[in-house]
Amino acid sequence: MALVETRDLVKKFGDLTAVDHISFTVGRGEVVGFLGPNGAGKSTTMKIISGFLEPTSGSAFIAGHDSHADPILARRHLGYLPEGAPAYSDMSVAAFLEFVAGMHGLSRATANNRLAELVERVDLAGVWNQRIESLSKGFKRRVGIAQALVHDPDVLVLDEPTDGLDPNQKHEMRQLIRSIAANKAIVISTHILEEVEAICSRAIIIAKGRMLADATPQQLMERAPEQGSFAITISSAQPQVAVDLLGAQSGVARIEIVRHSNGSARLLVHAGEVKPNAQDLISLLGRSNIVVEEFYQERARLDEVFRQITHSVAGH
Amino acid sequence: MMKSSVRSLILLRGIDMRTIGLIFRREFSAYFATPLAAVFLAIFLALAAGMCFFVAGFFDRAQADLSGFFLWHPWLFLVLMPAVAMRLWAEERRSGTIELLMTLPVHVWEVVVGKWLAAWAFAGLALVLTMPVWITVNFLGSPDNGVILASYIGSWLMAGAFLAISSCISALTKSQVLAFISSAAVGFLFVMAGFDLVLAGLRSWAPPLVLDVVRSMSFIGNFQRITDGVLEMPSMIFFVSLIIFALWLNVQAIDVKKAA
């Protein structure tokens, strides 16, 4: 059973359609990255899933409960980190987490056990009795995560969990998410693409409220324009010779001379439908006595794919 | 919206006292998390006593009652109660915690009631701290303590009505200042409802029945009937009904914002 499901979600703010027919499901064990440019409708979609906003049409389900018709049941299964990780700044970390645990209906004993575990897991021991307003951004974000985990929910919806964290904190946050991913359904929104590669089993790309892709990071990479192409630096005064040689190879669509100076040239070999074989290209150049200084296989980058996909609607 | 409000009313029976208690505790202690509570209580006590002893001439009147003390409560509350309630919802909206709060497995009703109760308890604390005035009057003479008790209860209920109205208005904005000013303005209409200032605007066109209804909603009129020791019950019921109605509107205000 899908733990999170949206069916044809639409949300309009006046004339603006912020969310435009978004449908997807997330099962247990999945970490779905919600990607999109700013203002794409990521946060609005998450607010609807959590039940904070009502959709104009369509519905959202958490563990099978409609988050609007059946909000209490749905929310029992939900851990939610709103955008910006809001928390009551006048409370201590301990008081705040105890408050949230109580609101989830945990008994005092259960709450204490859970909190003791979370202190370790989210590393909050050092600030346990500190007021939230005095915490650094990284700790505030951790408090937000702890708050979402207090009742050990099946579903986690985290709106930009690593926003504003330094690289070390980002790394820790990702490790934390990975460590709890196995028996939960997790949706995180982000605009950091490396994050998707690092923790997500699936990525959903939205722009202008519409879903443009729903695929694994690997599948998305295969759409990258530079997938399977090569960057080759040769020492040759006449790179055109190499270009002609390589251009005749099967799988080579197009060759660019990116740089040509001081008897050395950098070529970019774009692949066609069938990828050329790296070994073949190297031995071909070797046979023609062209000295290869560098030979890279270009790695597909998700941000290229992202740009390509989101640009197709940006013109609207 | 209609559907959800009917649902809220049905759920009222099954309100989880624990949730209300948690909200109440959080909100009540929030007052004391900053110096605000101390400042507020000091101002309230200074004004309440000052008005009683100096403006109303407590000693010159040489009467053993507290009518000069209670006389000023509608005016004091008009300014001070919006200050107590303005942060209840506006602060949640400004800081974004409302998103956290309203995605917990709780009913809107429980939160609305818990928050209002915290503010009301705070107002109650302020009233309790005026006890020395009551002790003084008992020391100097023998007042009708039944009337004084009724007046305290009436004053607390009137404070509750101001707070419920202010809480409802606070739910509509993320600006505490705006919440304060709007609540004081609406409160002013209720305070003055029995006076020409409000009635004159209606007299030219509204039927007499409307005038009577508006006049009957006057805070000053209702409170005076309580402090005079006559006809306390209808006025107490008026304040209680107004509190319930304003809190119901408060729930609607939250629901409407959700769909917007």
Side-chain angles (χ1 to χ4, degrees):
Chain A
M1 185 188 68
L3 283 175
V4 180
E5 183 176 0
T6 69
R7 282 185 207 152
D8 259 340
L9 278 189
V10 176
K11 180 69 182 178
K12 292 184 174 156
F13 297 110
D15 287 339
L16 176 86
T17 305
V19 174
D20 195 354
H21 293 96
I22 290 202
S23 302
F24 64 88
T25 61
V26 185
R28 198 179 291 277
E30 279 193 289
V31 180
V32 170
F34 222 54
L35 293 174
N38 288 330
K42 300 182 298 253
S43 286
T44 307
T45 306
M46 293 185 140
K47 283 181 213 276
I48 296 173
I49 295 173
S50 70
F52 182 66
L53 282 179
E54 268 172 38
T56 308
S57 68
S59 31
F61 299 87
I62 293 168
H65 305 288
D66 188 310
S67 50
H68 302 281
D70 240 346
I72 306 287
L73 279 176
R75 288 167 192 175
R76 285 198 201 291
H77 296 273
L78 170 72
Y80 179 47
L81 176 72
E83 194 176 7
Y88 293 109
S89 54
D90 55 25
M91 294 177 103
S92 72
V93 174
F96 174 63
L97 293 178
E98 278 161 14
F99 169 73
V100 174
M103 295 288 273
H104 275 294
L106 302 193
S107 71
R108 199 159 262 282
T110 320
N112 285 342
N113 284 339
R114 276 300 292 168
L115 292 180
E117 192 191 324
L118 278 174
V119 173
E120 292 299 312
R121 190 148 217 181
V122 192
D123 196 13
L124 286 171
V127 296
W128 195 238
N129 289 311
Q130 223 164 299
R131 268 157 84 118
I132 290 174
E133 63 192 348
S134 70
L135 299 184
S136 68
K137 215 165 179 181
F139 272 117
K140 275 186 189 155
R141 203 55 59 142
R142 281 190 223 176
V143 170
I145 293 276
Q147 161 276 128
L149 287 171
V150 153
H151 52 305
D152 197 15
D154 291 321
V155 174
L156 275 179
V157 174
L158 311 174
D159 200 345
E160 303 203 334
T162 61
D163 185 44
L165 301 188
D166 69 35
N168 289 334
Q169 294 167 330
K170 276 187 180 142
H171 179 73
E172 282 166 25
M173 187 61 79
R174 285 173 199 158
Q175 268 187 332
L176 175 68
I177 292 172
R178 253 197 305 258
S179 74
I180 55 176
N183 48 10
K184 297 191 191 305
I186 303 180
V187 182
I188 67 166
S189 78
T190 179
H191 44 240
I192 306 165
L193 290 138
E194 44 174 316
E195 202 151 286
V196 177
E197 291 189 69
I199 50 178
C200 295
S201 56
R202 231 171 84 211
I204 291 174
I205 298 181
I206 68 170
K208 303 239 157 177
R210 271 182 292 156
M211 247 172 96
L212 302 174
D214 179 355
T216 65
Q218 288 70 32
Q219 286 167 335
L220 285 175
M221 303 266 226
E222 278 159 23
R223 299 199 199 174
E226 63 281 274
Q227 176 74 9
S229 42
F230 301 96
I232 308 171
T233 309
I234 51 173
S235 47
S236 160
Q238 287 159 311
Q240 198 54 44
V241 178
V243 170
D244 290 343
L245 264 174
L246 294 169
Q249 284 293 303
S250 71
V252 176
R254 187 162 58 84
I255 300 172
E256 280 175 70
I257 301 174
V258 203
R259 180 168 52 77
H260 180 207
S261 60
N262 302 335
S264 140
R266 189 173 168 82
L267 310 177
L268 201 58
V269 179
H270 292 277
E273 281 297 304
V274 189
K275 315 291 179 213
N277 183 311
Q279 217 30 262
D280 290 353
L281 298 185
I282 293 172
S283 51
L284 177 71
L285 292 168
R287 278 200 303 277
S288 315
N289 294 324
I290 297 171
V291 179
V292 177
E293 291 175 354
E294 289 175 333
F295 192 102
Y296 290 115
Q297 176 151 23
E298 289 280 339
R299 211 172 105 64
R301 291 208 321 274
L302 211 46
D303 51 355
E304 282 298 328
V305 185
F306 178 77
R307 224 176 352 237
Q308 201 182 34
I309 293 175
T310 54
H311 259 47
S312 57
V313 292
H316 279 273
Chain B
M1 194 189 103
M2 202 54 215
K3 212 179 85 192
S4 75
S5 60
V6 169
R7 200 185 309 134
S8 317
L9 280 178
I10 293 166
L11 288 168
L12 190 53
R13 288 184 303 139
I15 275 188
D16 184 349
M17 290 312 291
R18 181 158 181 235
T19 304
I20 295 179
L22 282 164
I23 297 275
F24 172 85
R25 273 212 341 242
R26 203 211 82 69
E27 293 293 335
F28 193 72
S29 51
Y31 282 116
F32 296 92
T34 62
L36 183 103
V39 170
F40 175 89
L41 290 174
I43 291 175
F44 174 77
L45 293 177
L47 285 177
M51 296 282 194
C52 170
F53 290 123
F54 301 108
V55 183
F58 175 77
F59 295 111
D60 301 339
R61 285 174 61 234
Q63 278 179 24
D65 66 23
L66 283 181
S67 57
F69 168 69
F70 287 113
L71 181 68
W72 300 99
H73 282 201
W75 299 104
L76 273 179
F77 291 175
L78 173 60
V79 179
L80 293 176
M81 290 306 136
V84 173
M86 64 184 183
R87 50 163 283 282
L88 285 181
W89 290 97
E91 176 62 17
E92 300 257 9
R93 283 205 192 283
R94 193 196 55 76
S95 67
T97 44
I98 189 165
E99 195 170 340
L100 188 102
L101 186 61
M102 298 327 269
T103 52
L104 291 168
V106 295
H107 299 289
V108 179
W109 252 111
E110 297 164 341
V111 183
V112 166
V113 171
K115 277 176 176 284
W116 173 79
L117 276 177
W120 198 41
F122 185 71
L125 175 67
L127 281 175
V128 167
L129 292 177
T130 64
M131 213 67 110
V133 177
W134 172 72
I135 294 169
T136 307
V137 80
N138 269 283
F139 182 73
L140 294 175
S142 37
D144 184 340
N145 281 319
V147 170
I148 290 178
L149 180 66
S151 301
Y152 263 113
I153 293 171
S155 176
W156 195 31
L157 285 175
M158 181 170 62
F162 273 115
L163 290 171
I165 291 167
S166 306
S167 171
C168 175
I169 291 170
S170 168
L172 295 168
T173 174
K174 61 170 77 170
S175 157
Q176 293 196 32
V177 175
L178 198 62
F180 175 82
I181 293 171
S182 315
S183 305
V186 173
F188 183 71
L189 289 181
F190 273 102
V191 168
M192 294 301 288
F195 292 84
D196 265 352
L197 188 75
V198 171
L199 293 178
L202 295 169
R203 201 165 280 137
S204 53
W205 56 274
L209 179 69
V210 174
L211 281 178
D212 283 345
V213 170
V214 171
R215 191 180 291 122
S216 75
M217 307 230 289
S218 160
F219 276 19
I220 286 191
N222 277 292
F223 186 54
Q224 208 144 49
R225 280 191 282 281
I226 296 173
T227 53
D228 286 351
V230 290
L231 283 173
E232 293 110 329
M233 240 15 217
S235 292
M236 299 248 187
I237 290 168
F238 162 74
F239 284 124
V240 172
S241 317
L242 187 60
I243 289 169
I244 292 172
F245 179 68
L247 292 181
W248 177 80
L249 269 185
N250 194 342
V251 174
Q252 304 313 310
I254 307 280
D255 278 345
V256 164
K257 282 269 178 177
K258 199 166 140 189

